Amino acid sequence: MATTSGNQNADDLILSSDPHHPANQICTLCAHFYTLGWVTGTGGGTSIKRDGRIYIAPSGVQKELMKPTDIFVVAEPPRPLDEAQEPGRRGDHRSMPYLRRPQSLSPSACTPLFLAAFTRRGAGCCIHTHSQWTVLVTLLLESSASPDVFEIQRIEQIKGIPASYDRAAGNLGYFDTLKVPVIENTAREEDLTESLEQAMEAHPNTYAVLVRRHGIYVWGEDVARAKTICESLDYIFRLAVEMRKLGIPWMAS
Amino acid sequence: MATTSGNQNADDLILSSDPHHPANQICTLCAHFYTLGWVTGTGGGTSIKRDGRIYIAPSGVQKELMKPTDIFVVAEPPRPLDEAQEPGRRGDHRSMPYLRRPQSLSPSACTPLFLAAFTRRGAGCCIHTHSQWTVLVTLLLESSASPDVFEIQRIEQIKGIPASYDRAAGNLGYFDTLKVPVIENTAREEDLTESLEQAMEAHPNTYAVLVRRHGIYVWGEDVARAKTICESLDYIFRLAVEMRKLGIPWMAS
Amino acid sequence: MATTSGNQNADDLILSSDPHHPANQICTLCAHFYTLGWVTGTGGGTSIKRDGRIYIAPSGVQKELMKPTDIFVVAEPPRPLDEAQEPGRRGDHRSMPYLRRPQSLSPSACTPLFLAAFTRRGAGCCIHTHSQWTVLVTLLLESSASPDVFEIQRIEQIKGIPASYDRAAGNLGYFDTLKVPVIENTAREEDLTESLEQAMEAHPNTYAVLVRRHGIYVWGEDVARAKTICESLDYIFRLAVEMRKLGIPWMAS
Amino acid sequence: MATTSGNQNADDLILSSDPHHPANQICTLCAHFYTLGWVTGTGGGTSIKRDGRIYIAPSGVQKELMKPTDIFVVAEPPRPLDEAQEPGRRGDHRSMPYLRRPQSLSPSACTPLFLAAFTRRGAGCCIHTHSQWTVLVTLLLESSASPDVFEIQRIEQIKGIPASYDRAAGNLGYFDTLKVPVIENTAREEDLTESLEQAMEAHPNTYAVLVRRHGIYVWGEDVARAKTICESLDYIFRLAVEMRKLGIPWMAS
């Protein structure tokens, strides 16, 4: 497959017989996420950062059929994008310095959002889903007194979510309240970057940001952590929707 | 398998070791669509046009168990059926000039509808599903003020639907309104052809037509495009049904 | 596996390399039905009649893990059970003249009901599911004006159900009304036989009988026909439950 | 994999080519339970007791990806934990005398609860799920007149649940009432042990205890029995939630 990069051997970046190589792992994850309803109709995406390189699923491909040769690769930026890039080019995924860029595919508009998780949160994996439960929860919040944060308590599964970025703090406890910030959707996915970063600042311990009428971004130190946090959150959002149908409040009174 | 055609080697039209050959691809797609609930109980169907030939899944077979030898093949008609055929025979799938026609099977009553997508819209693939979400959406519309068109806005997934037949126009934007026309069901599937064609005329940019209490026809330039549009629409219809259960309007006010 | 029968080679009845042999086919079907939620927790069952022999899944086994050696075999009775057997033993599955009876397993209490479909309806396959949609539909009917028959109309999928036992009559049309009789559950499954047979008499064209708070029996001339009718009905019952949640009547007014 | 134990060959306890070896079986079961939504996001767990040894899935791993080398092994305690252990250490899974303990993994906090099923109920397998239906049922009960026991009757599937620990008593009958006790959740999973044991005493014939806002513990004589009871209960809880949405009471009046 034709690619553009300074490196003639850009395919070396993504071809490996190791199933845990990021390029293979993104394909396996996306095929699995398809079965969970997270990346229907080419929606959603996944990115892994490892050894100074960032591997990203392309835009507009059938996620369950993706191949390693479809993967884009970028060098890890030295610092957050708003410092590293010129004004007006901030977070522009079309002008990234790609180490590998498949010519027939478009880079993902999620790219600057994935980079925010990697540079500002030290994440090793970031998952973006269009799960219907995330969309429905943000729709239910829209007309509530507190539209910008999802809150639930006393559900065992919240113990699957880290309490903070301090690993010593462990995960949330059963009597803690899970809070997930919600940002408003924008016309272009890349324009979410600024409000995503603001939500990260305002909620320094969160591992996820919901996007109203759109989906969610979830990250973690590595693939296993990002995936299990994303699964636990999705379980909770689905449960929350069912609770609403049955008239059960999210916050125990 | 015995087939009738002017060509003694009609099986050459459908036997190939290439998984992307239309006859193989229809089988793979139908088995997948079965898992999505789109072709339960022999319902629904799929057709691919390639290199001047049209490949069609038969009627009444278990779609998840279909084999390439079950596929019907027709030559692409030179122009829309209403011009090419005699009055009274218009769109009659029983009298099509089949290049390959398995003797033990019945041609699909969807055939004239698939042909409408190919000849009038230049489609390369057309998918017909009985997805429950399509049926429920048409039922919800039936008693509404605007029963003949489904409309929704401000849902990220509508960005998976093309804005028009002008490829340069790209896909719908988040602030656009997705509109999908609805036609009334008829006793015989082939009798839907005229109203399907009218809906195509009235909504020249649509890639899909809902059929009340029945399902949907979705098409695209090629298999990937038809499938991902169909998936995105199905996601949106399912979401719309859940929104209705939760009292959330489809059109943001 | 030890079996009792007059035939020392009873395993010949169920061992075959042909995937379409009834003993293999029952296992494949049951594994598939498990994924559809039809035979959860050892519930439900399936039986095939072919060449004068009746093959039956055992009671109390995990249906998705069933092996051909688990299958019971009975000779096809010459006439309906109430004539062939002595009073008081009618339909007693424990005293059937088994051609093959695995010693470690219990014969299915569904046996006399399967036999009713074979002897009274000339069926070649009978499927019993505990699908939740069948149970919910019978619960919704329970408090209705017409608790003993499910009726729905103007849903395309009813065209997947035969109109009558006269094959020339074809399937139901879109404007026909699908009717499925409902019988009351009993303490013992085998005690359903009499009311199942009465429902067959009262609804001579039906291919299915719902059992209140329990499930459904569906039959057909062969496996493909029984399975596709069962799938179409299950689709319709699921749709009917969703219609009820959304306030949409089953009978168009 | 590094393990600590008095036995240098601790891996002999879990390495076997027999798919029915407990270490293999736990992995197969957990992968299957993942598809059922029972162990999402590392939640839930499974344990098998065989030949005097207890095999336990670890804490915090992706259950669908678990390998036999992840399994903990404990010797079966001679009597219930409250007698065998010093005060204050009762049921402490961190201080168990493990025969095999993978160094990189944490023992499951479910361990003392599994042990309660093994020592007090003679179980051979115990399953803990976070199924959403179990959580929703306990939430619906929370505000009811009888919050501490789930009761339902006249649903065929309750015949999949044993009537008592006396095997001669067989399973529940259709006209019996299924009762499943509910205990309150605690901050730490291991602190559930005392109330689980109390529920076992108060409901001596139960094979399951629901944990409010958390999930369920289900056990049985062996894997097949525990799994099929757990499936039947999950089917019933899901049905109960749907019945509530449709306004159908759990107890027939």
Side-chain angles (χ1 to χ4, degrees):
Chain A
M1 173 176 280
T3 59
T4 54
S5 82
N7 180 355
Q8 290 204 356
N9 299 312
D11 281 3
D12 291 354
L13 296 171
I14 50 90
L15 295 178
S16 166
S17 59
D18 177 4
H20 292 98
H21 185 283
N24 293 329
Q25 212 165 13
I26 287 176
C27 297
T28 307
L29 287 170
C30 284
H32 178 58
F33 295 165
Y34 179 83
T35 69
L36 300 177
W38 291 0
V39 295
T40 302
T42 84
T46 296
S47 182
I48 296 174
K49 183 188 77 182
R50 200 173 299 164
D51 299 333
R53 289 176 186 142
I54 293 167
Y55 303 79
I56 311 170
S59 175
V61 303
Q62 299 175 72
K63 295 290 186 290
E64 77 280 18
L65 303 178
M66 221 164 57
K67 304 175 304 296
T69 49
D70 297 337
I71 303 290
F72 287 70
V73 187
V74 194
E76 183 180 10
R79 51 196 182 287
L81 290 178
D82 49 359
E83 304 170 33
Q85 297 209 333
E86 339 158 12
R89 297 283 298 278
R90 182 174 171 283
D92 184 342
H93 61 284
R94 288 175 299 271
S95 61
M96 290 277 163
Y98 288 99
L99 299 177
R100 182 176 191 280
R101 181 176 182 160
Q103 285 299 290
S104 59
L105 298 172
S106 300
S108 172
C110 308
T111 302
L113 294 104
F114 292 147
L115 290 175
F118 297 143
T119 59
R120 291 175 183 268
R121 284 293 172 265
C125 178
C126 187
I127 299 167
H128 171 45
T129 91
H130 285 192
S131 164
Q132 301 220 335
W133 317 113
T134 64
V135 176
L136 288 169
V137 156
T138 65
L139 284 164
L140 288 170
L141 284 170
E142 197 169 34
S143 57
S144 77
S146 178
D148 298 334
V149 61
F150 170 79
E151 291 183 290
I152 200 165
Q153 63 183 199
R154 299 200 184 181
I155 296 295
E156 178 71 8
Q157 195 78 27
I158 70 172
K159 290 164 69 175
I161 317 295
S164 84
Y165 266 79
D166 177 4
R167 282 300 294 271
N171 281 11
L172 289 174
Y174 174 66
F175 292 104
D176 292 335
T177 297
L178 168 68
K179 298 186 185 201
V180 183
V182 183
I183 61 175
E184 298 305 319
N185 201 24
T186 52
R188 300 189 317 150
E189 186 123 17
E190 53 267 41
D191 293 340
L192 290 170
T193 313
E194 193 170 321
S195 53
L196 181 86
E197 289 170 348
Q198 285 169 353
M200 284 172 166
E201 296 303 314
H203 298 262
N205 290 322
T206 194
Y207 282 77
V209 174
L210 284 158
V211 186
R212 181 120 39 225
R213 297 171 168 271
H214 179 156
I216 194 167
Y217 280 85
V218 180
W219 56 88
E221 295 165 81
D222 54 26
V223 168
R225 194 116 153 149
K227 170 175 170 287
T228 55
I229 295 172
C230 197
E231 276 185 15
S232 287
L233 287 172
D234 206 58
Y235 168 104
I236 290 164
F237 297 136
R238 182 182 179 189
L239 188 69
V241 171
E242 293 297 302
M243 288 169 75
R244 180 61 61 96
K245 287 185 195 164
L246 293 162
I248 302 165
W250 296 345
M251 295 293 283
S253 54
Chain B
M1 172 176 281
T3 59
T4 54
S5 80
N7 180 357
Q8 288 203 357
N9 299 311
D11 281 2
D12 291 354
L13 296 172
I14 50 90
L15 295 178
S16 167
S17 59
D18 177 5
H20 293 99
H21 184 284
N24 293 329
Q25 213 166 13
I26 287 177
C27 297
T28 306
L29 287 170
C30 283
H32 178 59
F33 295 165
Y34 179 84
T35 69
L36 300 177
W38 291 1
V39 294
T40 301
T42 84
T46 295
S47 181
I48 295 174
K49 182 188 77 181
R50 200 172 298 164
D51 299 333
R53 289 177 186 142
I54 293 168
Y55 302 79
I56 312 170
S59 175
V61 302
Q62 298 174 73
K63 295 290 187 288
E64 77 280 17
L65 301 179
M66 222 163 57
K67 304 176 304 295
T69 48
D70 297 339
I71 302 291
F72 286 70
V73 187
V74 194
E76 182 180 9
R79 52 196 180 285
L81 291 178
D82 47 0
E83 304 170 32
Q85 296 209 334
E86 342 158 9
R89 296 285 296 279
R90 180 172 172 285
D92 185 342
H93 61 284
R94 288 175 299 271
S95 61
M96 291 277 162
Y98 288 99
L99 299 176
R100 182 176 191 280
R101 182 176 182 160
Q103 286 297 291
S104 60
L105 299 172
S106 300
S108 172
C110 308
T111 300
L113 293 104
F114 292 147
L115 290 176
F118 297 143
T119 59
R120 290 174 183 269
R121 284 292 171 265
C125 178
C126 188
I127 299 168
H128 171 45
T129 90
H130 285 193
S131 165
Q132 301 220 335
W133 316 113
T134 63
V135 176
L136 289 168
V137 157
T138 64
L139 285 164
L140 287 170
L141 285 170
E142 197 168 34
S143 56
S144 77
S146 178
D148 297 334
V149 60
F150 171 78
E151 291 183 288
I152 200 165
Q153 64 182 200
R154 298 203 184 178
I155 297 297
E156 178 71 8
Q157 195 78 28
I158 69 172
K159 291 164 67 175
I161 317 295
S164 84
Y165 266 80
D166 177 3
R167 280 300 293 271
N171 280 12
L172 289 174
Y174 174 66
F175 292 103
D176 292 334
T177 296
L178 168 68
K179 299 188 185 202
V180 184
V182 183
I183 60 176
E184 299 304 319
N185 202 22
T186 51
R188 299 189 318 151
E189 187 123 16
E190 54 267 42
D191 293 340
L192 290 170
T193 312
E194 193 170 320
S195 52
L196 181 86
E197 289 170 348
Q198 286 169 353
M200 284 172 167
E201 297 303 315
H203 298 261
N205 290 322
T206 194
Y207 282 76
V209 174
L210 285 159
V211 185
R212 182 118 43 224
R213 296 172 169 270
H214 178 155
I216 194 167
Y217 281 84
V218 180
W219 55 88
E221 294 166 80
D222 54 26
V223 168
R225 193 116 155 151
K227 170 175 169 287
T228 55
I229 295 172
C230 197
E231 276 185 14
S232 287
L233 287 172
D234 206 57
Y235 169 104
I236 290 165
F237 298 136
R238 182 183 178 189
L239 188 70
V241 170
E242 292 298 302
M243 288 168 74
R244 179 62 61 96
K245 286 185 195 166
L246 293 161
I248 301 165
W250 295 345
M251 295 293 282
S253 53
Chain C
M1 173 178 281
T3 58
T4 54
S5 80
N7 179 356
Q8 288 204 357
N9 299 312
D11 280 2
D12 292 355
L13 296 171
I14 51 90
L15 295 179
S16 166
S17 59
D18 177 3
H20 292 99
H21 184 284
N24 293 329
Q25 212 166 12
I26 288 176
C27 297
T28 305
L29 288 170
C30 283
H32 178 59
F33 295 165
Y34 179 83
T35 70
L36 300 178
W38 290 0
V39 295
T40 302
T42 84
T46 295
S47 181
I48 295 174
K49 182 188 77 182
R50 201 173 297 163
D51 299 333
R53 289 175 186 140
I54 293 167
Y55 303 79
I56 310 169
S59 174
V61 302
Q62 298 174 73
K63 295 291 186 288
E64 78 280 17
L65 301 178
M66 223 163 56
K67 302 177 304 297
T69 48
D70 297 338
I71 303 290
F72 287 70
V73 187
V74 194
E76 182 180 10
R79 51 195 180 287
L81 291 178
D82 49 358
E83 305 170 32
Q85 296 210 332
E86 344 160 6
R89 297 283 297 278
R90 182 172 171 285
D92 184 342
H93 61 283
R94 288 175 299 271
S95 61
M96 290 277 162
Y98 288 100
L99 299 176
R100 183 177 189 277
R101 181 176 183 160
Q103 286 298 290
S104 59
L105 298 173
S106 300
S108 172
C110 308
T111 301
L113 294 104
F114 292 146
L115 289 175
F118 297 142
T119 59
R120 290 176 184 268
R121 285 292 172 264
C125 177
C126 188
I127 299 168
H128 171 45
T129 91
H130 285 192
S131 165
Q132 300 219 337
W133 317 113
T134 63
V135 176
L136 288 169
V137 157
T138 64
L139 285 163
L140 287 170
L141 285 170
E142 197 169 33
S143 56
S144 77
S146 178
D148 296 335
V149 61
F150 170 79
E151 291 182 289
I152 200 165
Q153 62 181 201
R154 299 202 183 178
I155 296 296
E156 178 71 8
Q157 195 78 27
I158 70 172
K159 290 165 67 176
I161 316 295
S164 84
Y165 266 79
D166 177 4
R167 280 300 293 272
N171 280 11
L172 288 174
Y174 175 66
F175 292 104
D176 292 335
T177 297
L178 168 69
K179 298 186 185 204
V180 184
V182 183
I183 61 174
E184 299 305 319
N185 202 23
T186 51
R188 301 189 318 152
E189 187 124 17
E190 54 266 42
D191 293 340
L192 290 170
T193 312
E194 193 170 322
S195 51
L196 181 86
E197 291 171 347
Q198 286 169 353
M200 286 172 166
E201 297 302 315
H203 299 262
N205 290 322
T206 194
Y207 281 76
V209 174
L210 284 159
V211 185
R212 181 116 45 223
R213 297 170 167 272
H214 178 156
I216 194 167
Y217 281 85
V218 180
W219 56 89
E221 294 165 83
D222 53 29
V223 168
R225 193 113 156 152
K227 170 175 169 288
T228 55
I229 296 172
C230 197
E231 276 186 14
S232 287
L233 287 171
D234 206 57
Y235 169 105
I236 290 165
F237 297 137
R238 182 183 178 188
L239 188 69
V241 171
E242 292 297 301
M243 288 169 74
R244 181 60 63 95
K245 287 185 195 165
L246 294 162
I248 302 165
W250 295 345
M251 295 294 282
S253 53
Chain D
M1 174 177 279
T3 58
T4 52
S5 80
N7 180 356
Q8 289 203 356
N9 298 312
D11 281 1
D12 292 355
L13 296 171
I14 51 90
L15 296 178
S16 167
S17 59
D18 177 5
H20 292 98
H21 184 284
N24 293 329
Q25 212 165 12
I26 288 176
C27 297
T28 307
L29 288 170
C30 283
H32 177 59
F33 295 165
Y34 179 83
T35 69
L36 300 177
W38 291 1
V39 295
T40 301
T42 84
T46 296
S47 181
I48 296 174
K49 183 188 77 182
R50 202 172 297 163
D51 299 333
R53 290 177 185 140
I54 293 167
Y55 303 79
I56 311 170
S59 174
V61 303
Q62 299 174 74
K63 294 292 186 288
E64 77 279 18
L65 302 178
M66 222 162 57
K67 304 176 304 297
T69 48
D70 297 337
I71 303 290
F72 286 71
V73 188
V74 195
E76 183 179 10
R79 51 195 180 288
L81 290 178
D82 48 358
E83 304 171 32
Q85 295 210 331
E86 337 158 13
R89 298 283 297 276
R90 182 173 171 285
D92 185 342
H93 61 283
R94 288 175 298 271
S95 62
M96 290 277 162
Y98 288 100
L99 298 177
R100 182 176 190 280
R101 181 175 183 161
Q103 285 298 291
S104 59
L105 299 172
S106 300
S108 172
C110 307
T111 301
L113 294 105
F114 292 146
L115 290 175
F118 297 142
T119 59
R120 290 174 184 268
R121 284 293 172 265
C125 177
C126 187
I127 299 168
H128 171 44
T129 91
H130 285 192
S131 164
Q132 300 219 337
W133 317 112
T134 64
V135 176
L136 288 169
V137 156
T138 64
L139 285 164
L140 287 170
L141 285 170
E142 198 169 34
S143 56
S144 77
S146 178
D148 298 334
V149 61
F150 170 80
E151 292 182 289
I152 200 166
Q153 64 182 198
R154 298 202 183 179
I155 297 295
E156 178 71 8
Q157 195 77 29
I158 69 173
K159 290 164 68 174
I161 317 295
S164 84
Y165 266 79
D166 177 4
R167 281 300 292 271
N171 280 11
L172 288 174
Y174 174 66
F175 293 103
D176 292 335
T177 297
L178 168 68
K179 299 186 185 204
V180 183
V182 183
I183 61 175
E184 299 305 319
N185 202 24
T186 52
R188 300 189 317 151
E189 187 123 17
E190 53 267 40
D191 293 340
L192 289 170
T193 313
E194 193 170 320
S195 52
L196 181 86
E197 290 170 348
Q198 285 169 354
M200 285 172 166
E201 297 302 315
H203 298 261
N205 291 322
T206 195
Y207 281 77
V209 174
L210 284 159
V211 185
R212 181 117 44 223
R213 296 170 168 273
H214 179 156
I216 194 167
Y217 281 84
V218 180
W219 56 88
E221 295 165 80
D222 54 26
V223 168
R225 193 114 155 152
K227 171 175 168 287
T228 54
I229 295 172
C230 197
E231 275 185 15
S232 287
L233 287 171
D234 206 57
Y235 168 105
I236 290 165
F237 297 136
R238 182 182 179 189
L239 187 69
V241 171
E242 293 297 301
M243 288 168 74
R244 180 61 62 96
K245 287 185 196 164
L246 294 162
I248 302 165
W250 296 345
M251 296 293 282
S253 54

